Amino acid sequence: MLGIGIIGVGYWGPNLVRNFSSLGGACKVVGVCDQRPERVKFIQNQYPSVKGYASDEQLIADPDVQAVVIATPVFTHHRLAAAALKAGKHVMLEKPLTHTVAEAEDLLNLAHKGGLTLMVDHTFLYTGAVRKIKELKVSGEVGQLLYFDSVRVNLGLFQHDINVIWDLAPHDISICDFISGKKAKAVNATGVAHYGQKIENIGYLTVQYEDDLLAHFHVNWLAPVKVRTTLIGGTKQMIVYDDMDPSEKVKIYDKKVVFTDATGKEDKEQVYQALVEYRTGDMRAPKVESTEALKLVAQEFITSINEKRKPLTSGEDGLHVVRILEAADQSLKQNGAQVKL
């Protein structure tokens, strides 16, 4: 039974405690720590057998803890994860993996040297909706991906340490990376900080991927409504992914555009002389798995450790997202100038 220690039990931490505790004999939540003693007490009231540590150093040093889960502000990720890896502990971090590419690369090196698992919690990759979209892509039903256009907006929660791109965009960047399997080539980002703040609360991020895949991410803390919608265009089919829809999160549209020459044959070379034909078919909404994504995240962490394999959302995947976010910061400082990766 793998002993789990959880650092940070504020907003997301209690969900981690609950899901790791639900795995039965696979693992055991040994203890938790937080800078606020009242949060530790809150967890212990619900789980009396869980230890409360006065510091992260004590938790990491406990021999009963073989794996450390970190749900703290991103600026603390490198210090905490590096300490755990150096102590021989497996590590799972909340998104984003770290605040810089250099920090992410250092954690990867430490994990590799120690033969340890380093995982990032890109939760949406474990949802039934995203897995279904990936399945459609792999099967060839969607065709070649042309664009990925997402909107993730709501009123709040304002962060004091990271801008809205670092807060919200990692979800959609990780989804795009996962579904497409492509590497990003260049990044443009624009954003605005209102109310005299120095942290952007509205952001627009454009990422050019391999094979002419264009991704656009709109994130906003100032929207009057909560929107979680993504449009995915393929050469064969198009998809609308609405995470706020309770029953039909994924809708597949049998729509596409075909360029043909005067004889009706498909003409990819002479598009400027071609005729445009629009194909419109049916829409269907497939059933998607409803298991809580975070439970699958916890299972994947434990299973990947036991099987000594790379997890679905590995440290390398986290590094790729951080590389895009770091480039976005550079672009913001240059008024939206393109930053190549």
Side-chain angles (χ1 to χ4, degrees):
M1 184 180 292
L2 202 67
I4 305 292
I6 298 176
I7 302 176
V9 285
Y11 172 71
W12 196 239
N15 295 320
L16 291 164
V17 174
R18 174 173 55 81
N19 278 282
F20 277 104
S21 297
S22 73
L23 297 183
C27 67
K28 177 184 179 182
V29 178
V30 174
V32 301
C33 72
D34 196 283
Q35 289 185 334
R36 296 160 296 175
E38 66 272 16
R39 295 303 302 169
V40 174
K41 192 66 178 176
F42 172 78
I43 295 297
Q44 290 182 304
N45 286 338
Q46 294 181 308
Y47 303 89
S49 64
V50 171
K51 297 180 187 177
Y53 297 90
S55 68
D56 52 81
E57 291 88 356
Q58 288 183 7
L59 183 149
I60 292 171
D62 191 334
D64 290 336
V65 173
Q66 290 90 43
V68 176
V69 178
I70 299 169
T72 59
V74 66
F75 288 101
T76 67
H77 282 190
H78 177 262
R79 177 183 68 81
L80 294 170
L85 291 168
K86 289 175 182 178
K89 318 286 185 175
H90 304 283
V91 172
M92 186 179 92
L93 286 149
E94 283 308 298
K95 63 82 188 170
L97 183 68
T98 59
H99 193 251
T100 68
V101 169
E103 289 177 348
E105 290 175 339
D106 184 54
L107 294 185
L108 282 168
N109 288 333
L110 288 172
H112 178 71
K113 289 178 181 178
L116 298 164
T117 296
L118 177 63
M119 176 171 162
V120 61
D121 177 13
H122 289 153
T123 310
F124 281 91
L125 274 57
Y126 296 84
T127 62
V130 173
R131 285 172 175 251
K132 173 59 68 174
I133 297 170
K134 176 69 173 181
E135 179 185 312
L136 294 167
K137 170 63 174 63
V138 171
S139 70
E141 290 183 58
V142 180
Q144 179 183 340
L145 294 187
L146 303 174
Y147 64 84
F148 182 101
D149 198 338
S150 71
V151 179
R152 185 174 294 270
V153 304
N154 53 264
L155 190 61
L157 299 166
F158 271 73
Q159 305 294 323
H160 67 277
D161 55 346
I162 54 174
N163 64 30
V164 69
I165 291 177
W166 278 83
D167 180 38
L168 297 181
H171 293 306
D172 298 301
I173 295 171
S174 64
I175 293 171
C176 185
D177 285 357
F178 176 64
I179 293 172
S180 70
K182 303 297 181 183
K183 292 289 182 67
K185 295 166 51 181
V187 175
N188 297 78
T190 56
V192 178
H194 295 101
Y195 306 111
Q197 303 295 309
K198 295 182 179 180
I199 296 176
E200 289 82 5
N201 47 60
I202 298 175
Y204 297 89
L205 176 64
T206 301
V207 182
Q208 294 183 29
Y209 284 82
E210 300 169 321
D211 297 333
D212 294 329
L213 170 62
L214 188 65
H216 185 259
F217 309 97
H218 170 203
V219 288
N220 187 346
W221 287 330
L222 293 177
V225 294
K226 186 174 182 178
V227 179
R228 300 284 187 268
T229 303
T230 301
L231 305 180
I232 301 171
T235 54
K236 295 181 180 179
Q237 291 181 330
M238 299 178 183
I239 296 172
V240 175
Y241 165 37
D242 184 357
D243 193 51
M244 300 304 296
D245 192 315
S247 58
E248 297 182 344
K249 291 185 182 294
V250 178
K251 295 179 181 177
I252 306 163
Y253 292 83
D254 187 16
K255 295 186 176 184
K256 64 179 181 178
V257 176
V258 179
F259 289 93
T260 59
D261 62 18
T263 65
K265 295 181 180 179
E266 189 170 351
D267 185 352
K268 295 181 180 179
E269 299 298 328
Q270 303 295 329
V271 172
Y272 62 90
Q273 296 179 345
L275 302 174
V276 182
E277 182 179 344
Y278 299 94
R279 303 277 178 86
T280 301
D282 295 331
M283 183 280 289
R284 62 188 177 93
K287 182 180 179 181
V288 299
E289 179 61 47
S290 59
T291 303
E292 184 179 359
L294 193 55
K295 183 174 184 178
L296 298 178
V297 171
Q299 287 178 338
E300 176 67 5
F301 185 45
I302 301 304
T303 304
S304 64
I305 291 171
N306 290 335
E307 296 179 355
K308 297 182 179 180
R309 61 167 174 80
K310 185 182 293 188
L312 174 66
T313 49
S314 66
E316 287 84 357
D317 299 312
L319 170 61
H320 189 246
V321 172
V322 172
R323 201 179 297 280
I324 292 174
L325 294 172
E326 189 174 87
D329 273 351
Q330 295 174 20
S331 181
L332 282 171
K333 293 175 183 176
Q334 300 173 45
N335 297 315
Q338 186 179 82
V339 176
K340 294 185 177 180
L341 300 178

